[in-house]
Amino acid sequence: MTLSRMRVPNTFIILCSIILLAAVLTWIIPGGHYERETVNGREQVVAESFTYQDNNPQSVGDILIAPIRGIVHASEIIGFVLIVGGIFGILQKSGAVEASLRYTISLHHKSKLIRILLIPIFMTLFSLGGSTFGMSEETIPFVLIFVPLALALGYDSIVGVAIPYIGAGVGFAGAMLNPFTVGIAHGIAGLPMFSGSGYRFIVWSASTVTGILFVMIYAARIKKNPSLSPAFAIDQKKREDLTLDTGEQAAFTVRHKLSLLTFALGMIALVIGVKMWGWYIEEIAALFIAIGLIVAVVSGMGADQSTDAFISGAKDLVATALMIGLARAILIIAQQGNIIDTMLFALSSSIDNFHPIISAQLMFLVQTVINFFVPSGSGQAALTMPIMAPLADLVGVTRQTAVLAYQMGDGFGNLIIPTSGVTMGVLTLAKIPWEKWAKWILPLELIFLVLGFILLIPPILTGWS
């Protein structure tokens, strides 16, 4: 049986299994405790203060209560995720994003320069989407646009998938304002929301340029010799049925432009609010609500239509919200069992003898492995950051660096793992077998691994916080 056909457990099953495992561990692992102190308004673990204590084995009743307690404890983050999802539902319903893409695609018939710049332009746009609002699942329908476009330009289906999916993926990994990864991780780590954006811009730029160059080099090779494509045989049939509709659907109206302008101005306001006025989850959620209301008005949506769009967008993230609650339930079980500090002690002891640079890189590797089992960015943040943030304090790594290690481990890994619903979704839609995609993208994943190691060095040397 090939790996692509293996039945991978649902993420919820994985999280529930980890809850059970955490409960079992409370019967096995000795209890322990670290002293904590408040530094610059943030609680931190005091190094060298660990002492063993009695554990508190968790019962079946504790396990059953843990999920609702996890949801209650994470209610602010869960509410934020649902509101943001609803607002993006309104933006998507406005048709502004799709219309702008179709309009630009139609220009390739008129300009040779557009053909040359098509890959970097669109990958940059998708990367900005991944970096600012966590564009991921939203790339799936764009496969239906970019695969025919890539074939029409003499490329292959892999290029058609790579433009939106790798574009958004590198932005996701190097995110600056992604509320579902950086925002949640910052909230859990006790850091100012979306702080450290200066260096994150460097990370985003390096990741985006790397992805673009890889795809452009490959596209040039396929343009010259299409038979080199892993999808060559598959694409032969697609080319026979090729159609690329850029007629009336390509219309990019004033309403569409106003909707996108509203969103862009909202992102600028977000940066200013966070930097100058210390906005946090409540204020940022309020800003997104304002953006949604304005987009609904300028796009001409009525009250019923915009409400339905909001509900639809929020509904798409209910699973994410529940994952956050279940991930928090794992932490609750471990805390109630008095074993969380013991695990921190064990982890810190295993990497404490390494230089902080190596410790940060090991965090990156750990997050990459965990991502295979928990491919949800927000779920992984909720699961790992309660441990990684205080662990960073113990091994001489800043919490900001720990968040960066998490987001790169999550973002880069998502592009290849078969446990990712988005990965399998875009490949299924493009009719590309996972084995062919994995073989093609593996060199890029190795490049990203090295890039991640390199990008984790400056934060340690500068004390980035």
Side-chain angles (χ1 to χ4, degrees):
M1 179 181 291
T2 62
L3 186 56
S4 64
R5 291 189 174 94
M6 289 175 60
R7 183 170 179 81
V8 179
N10 183 281
T11 302
F12 284 96
I13 296 176
I14 292 173
L15 289 173
C16 290
S17 299
I18 297 175
I19 291 175
L20 291 174
L21 176 61
V24 170
L25 291 177
T26 63
W27 290 79
I28 301 172
I29 297 177
H33 176 70
Y34 271 110
E35 298 294 334
R36 286 166 168 78
E37 62 182 358
T38 301
V39 178
N40 296 325
R42 185 178 70 210
E43 186 180 78
Q44 292 187 356
V45 172
V46 178
E48 310 297 333
S49 67
F50 178 80
T51 56
Y52 284 104
Q53 296 183 352
D54 292 335
N55 59 352
N56 179 28
Q58 297 294 282
S59 66
V60 173
D62 294 321
I63 295 171
L64 295 176
I65 293 174
I68 187 63
R69 286 181 175 170
I71 292 172
V72 171
H73 281 231
S75 59
E76 188 175 44
I77 295 176
I78 289 173
F80 175 69
V81 166
L82 293 176
I83 288 174
V84 172
I87 299 309
F88 283 119
I90 293 175
L91 182 64
Q92 184 176 12
K93 185 67 175 180
S94 72
V97 176
E98 183 175 354
S100 65
L101 287 173
R102 287 187 176 274
Y103 174 75
T104 306
I105 289 171
S106 69
L107 296 179
H108 90 278
H109 293 296
K110 306 174 184 178
S111 171
K112 183 177 180 180
L113 181 63
I114 291 295
R115 290 194 182 203
I116 296 173
L117 297 178
L118 192 97
I119 290 176
I121 286 175
F122 276 111
M123 287 191 70
T124 300
L125 290 174
F126 280 110
S127 181
L128 285 170
S131 178
T132 56
F133 64 88
M135 189 176 197
S136 180
E137 291 87 350
E138 296 84 355
T139 60
I140 293 177
F142 290 113
V143 170
L144 296 174
I145 300 174
F146 281 92
V147 167
L149 173 64
L151 295 176
L153 296 178
Y155 304 132
D156 66 353
S157 293
I158 287 179
V159 173
V161 170
I163 291 173
Y165 190 46
I166 292 182
V170 294
F172 206 90
M176 296 173 283
L177 301 173
N178 186 345
F180 307 115
T181 56
V182 178
I184 291 174
H186 274 165
I188 295 172
L191 295 170
M193 189 73 80
F194 304 124
S195 55
S197 56
Y199 187 68
R200 279 197 168 77
F201 176 77
I202 296 174
V203 173
W204 171 81
S205 300
S207 303
T208 302
V209 169
T210 300
I212 289 173
L213 289 176
F214 186 88
V215 174
M216 289 187 71
I217 292 171
Y218 171 78
R221 289 177 57 228
I222 296 305
K223 180 86 169 179
K224 186 176 180 179
N225 187 357
S227 64
L228 294 176
S229 168
F232 178 72
I234 300 171
D235 288 342
Q236 293 296 89
K237 172 62 177 175
K238 292 180 183 177
R239 285 190 172 91
E240 295 176 5
D241 304 326
L242 180 62
T243 58
L244 185 62
D245 183 5
T246 55
E248 292 185 4
Q249 294 185 58
F252 190 29
T253 67
V254 173
R255 289 186 182 276
H256 292 146
K257 295 174 183 177
L258 288 175
S259 296
L260 292 178
L261 178 62
T262 299
F263 178 75
L265 292 176
M267 293 301 98
I268 294 173
L270 187 153
V271 174
I272 294 174
V274 169
K275 292 292 185 182
M276 296 185 62
W277 302 310
W279 285 1
Y280 196 53
I281 288 179
E282 292 181 356
E283 293 82 0
I284 295 172
L287 173 65
F288 273 103
I289 290 174
I291 292 172
L293 291 173
I294 296 173
V295 168
V297 172
V298 300
S299 65
M301 279 190 279
D304 289 341
Q305 191 177 18
S306 56
T307 300
D308 290 343
F310 179 89
I311 293 173
S312 177
K315 183 173 62 177
D316 290 341
L317 289 175
V318 167
T320 296
L322 291 174
M323 286 180 198
I324 294 172
L326 288 175
R328 184 62 62 90
I330 298 168
L331 179 64
I332 288 174
I333 288 289
Q335 288 176 332
Q336 291 177 167
N338 205 22
I339 64 171
I340 189 72
D341 283 3
T342 307
M343 292 190 291
L344 278 174
F345 177 69
L347 282 170
S348 64
S349 299
S350 65
I351 64 175
D352 193 35
N353 294 326
F354 295 104
H355 189 279
I357 290 176
I358 304 299
S359 297
Q361 293 170 340
L362 287 173
M363 287 183 174
F364 173 38
L365 287 176
V366 168
Q367 295 285 11
T368 301
V369 173
I370 292 174
N371 187 55
F372 182 90
F373 300 98
V374 187
S376 164
S378 51
Q380 187 176 343
L383 175 65
T384 64
M385 288 314 300
I387 295 176
M388 290 299 180
L391 177 60
D393 299 335
L394 292 172
V395 298
V397 175
T398 66
R399 293 192 174 195
Q400 199 73 260
T401 306
V403 171
L404 179 62
Y406 142 72
Q407 70 183 80
M408 290 195 300
D410 169 64
F412 293 144
N414 276 337
L415 296 173
I416 190 173
I417 56 174
T419 52
S420 167
V422 183
T423 298
M424 301 312 292
V426 297
L427 294 181
T428 299
L429 206 57
K431 300 178 181 177
I432 299 175
W434 178 83
E435 299 97 327
K436 294 184 181 294
W437 173 262
K439 183 178 179 180
W440 175 80
I441 201 175
L442 183 59
L444 180 59
E445 288 291 330
L446 295 176
I447 292 171
F448 281 145
L449 184 65
V450 174
L451 179 64
F453 285 156
I454 294 172
L455 290 171
L456 285 168
I457 295 175
I460 300 299
L461 298 179
T462 61
W464 182 50
S465 61

